[in-house]
Amino acid sequence: EGQSVVGLILEGGRCVGVEVEANGERQQVRASGGVVFATGGFSWNKLLMGAAHGPAGISGTCAAPTCTGDFAEICRQQGIPLSAMDSAWFKQVVVPYRPDRTGVFFLSADSFLVVDRRGKRYASEKNLYQERGLQMLGDSKAERRYVFAVFDARAREKFAGPLKGLGGAIPWLDDDYNGFFKEQTQEALLHGRDAKELGEKIRAKLAEVAAKGDAPFELDPGFAAQLAATVETFNTYARAGQDPEFHRGERVAEWCYHVKRAADNPFPNKTMMPLDQAGGLYCVIMGPGTLDTKGGPRIS
């Protein structure tokens, strides 16, 4: 306990043990059979993550803070080839990122949509978390460095928190668990009376995030007008029960991960319900994240 592997013991071209460090002291541990490189991930290693995805590529992770890629660095020092260093189990995280906030596994609400910096939808919001993460990272035009989950007051109430929302993005209600998560909610949840005011709130939050060292990112000048139009189009699709652009709710997996139909949703497609703008619009900003990485030493 409390020991870290810092080096290998090599004899005759074979690894016969490791050097470990504990409390500032090093010692050697020799193996009687062989040495297994259970390297783990490196989502908490900024240098390795930056090399794999660029300095602004990943907003956060669900991995344990001990996932720092120690063995990857040891392999590099010994000239052992590394592979798949840009691969990971991708997902989304709520921005501003904080380790004690759950990641976005599933977007389980119905009266919501996700838009890019232009205010446009770009995919089915019910895609699985790996797909959603890759759709952000694979955006060559950088329109999706951050994306914006927009929802109404009903969804904010019905799907709040990772338990009701099945690991969704909508934060806890202020009085959940005696207000234990209130700070998290106030930090992440944005609200506007309409698309114009919501756009102003999003711009202010992006500037705040950038001021704390994250990558600068700006909304398109026409974001508010486009968002208003996108909501109206989505509401039309929801009433009809079909999403001709991105086919939301057509795959069996999407129906399963959406969980059960909301009791107050009478529309044909249980994954879609028109946004009621009477209570304004809410938003949570999301960035690309990882469960953890997949890369490591290449096997022979």
Side-chain angles (χ1 to χ4, degrees):
E1 185 177 351
Q3 295 177 332
S4 298
V5 176
V6 294
L8 308 179
I9 303 172
L10 301 175
E11 292 180 356
R14 299 182 68 247
C15 181
V16 297
V18 295
E19 290 185 350
V20 299
E21 186 175 284
N23 300 319
E25 296 184 0
R26 289 196 180 195
Q27 62 182 32
Q28 292 188 342
V29 178
R30 290 179 171 266
S32 58
V35 177
V36 177
F37 277 32
T39 53
F42 54 86
S43 286
W44 282 92
N45 188 313
K46 290 185 177 180
L47 291 177
L48 290 176
M49 292 300 290
H53 304 289
I58 299 296
S59 295
T61 182
C62 287
T66 51
C67 292
T68 54
D70 298 351
F71 260 100
E73 176 59 21
I74 291 171
C75 289
R76 187 190 65 79
Q77 293 172 2
Q78 295 293 337
I80 298 172
L82 300 171
S83 65
M85 295 296 282
D86 59 349
S87 297
W89 289 272
F90 294 110
K91 53 188 284 296
Q92 292 161 318
V93 294
V94 173
V95 175
Y97 169 72
R98 50 189 292 170
D100 58 349
R101 196 196 326 269
T102 182
V104 183
F105 290 93
F106 306 107
L107 293 167
S108 299
D110 46 18
S111 54
F112 87 102
L113 48 84
V114 177
V115 298
D116 60 18
R117 65 179 292 272
R118 302 168 298 171
K120 293 184 177 184
R121 294 176 67 217
Y122 57 90
S124 169
E125 293 84 354
K126 295 298 178 178
N127 285 334
L128 305 187
Y129 56 83
Q130 178 80 356
E131 295 172 303
R132 299 198 319 270
L134 288 171
Q135 285 160 355
M136 295 183 70
L137 290 168
D139 171 29
S140 61
K141 295 182 179 179
E143 303 283 1
R144 302 193 285 269
R145 170 66 184 90
Y146 298 118
V147 295
F148 310 94
V150 177
F151 47 97
D152 60 10
R154 168 191 166 275
R156 193 273 172 282
E157 175 80 23
K158 186 174 289 290
F159 299 98
L163 300 183
K164 286 186 285 184
L166 192 63
I170 300 175
W172 301 92
L173 298 175
D174 284 349
D175 56 357
D176 281 343
Y177 293 89
N178 297 316
F180 183 80
F181 297 100
K182 188 174 182 179
E183 179 187 352
Q184 286 192 19
T185 296
Q186 292 178 339
E187 181 184 48
L189 186 66
L190 307 175
H191 177 256
R193 290 168 295 181
D194 52 27
K196 182 176 184 295
E197 185 174 83
L198 184 64
E200 293 169 355
K201 297 286 184 69
I202 294 173
R203 283 190 170 88
K205 180 58 70 172
L206 290 173
E208 176 187 315
V209 169
K212 294 181 179 178
D214 214 334
F217 190 78
E218 296 183 356
L219 297 181
D220 185 86
F223 176 86
Q226 181 59 61
L227 174 61
T230 299
V231 171
E232 290 304 318
T233 299
F234 175 85
N235 285 353
T236 299
Y237 294 166
R239 294 185 190 100
Q242 291 185 323
D243 176 10
E245 289 185 273
F246 303 110
H247 309 285
R248 175 162 151 178
E250 293 185 11
R251 293 191 299 172
V252 172
E254 295 183 7
W255 282 66
C256 294
Y257 285 118
H258 176 78
V259 299
K260 65 181 181 180
R261 171 185 288 276
D264 61 344
N265 183 348
F267 296 95
N269 185 334
K270 76 171 184 176
T271 73
M272 301 171 68
M273 184 168 177
L275 279 72
D276 182 354
Q277 299 180 68
L281 293 172
Y282 290 84
C283 176
V284 168
I285 303 173
M286 299 186 297
T290 66
L291 289 168
D292 206 357
T293 57
K294 295 180 180 180
R298 191 173 67 213
I299 61 174
S300 58

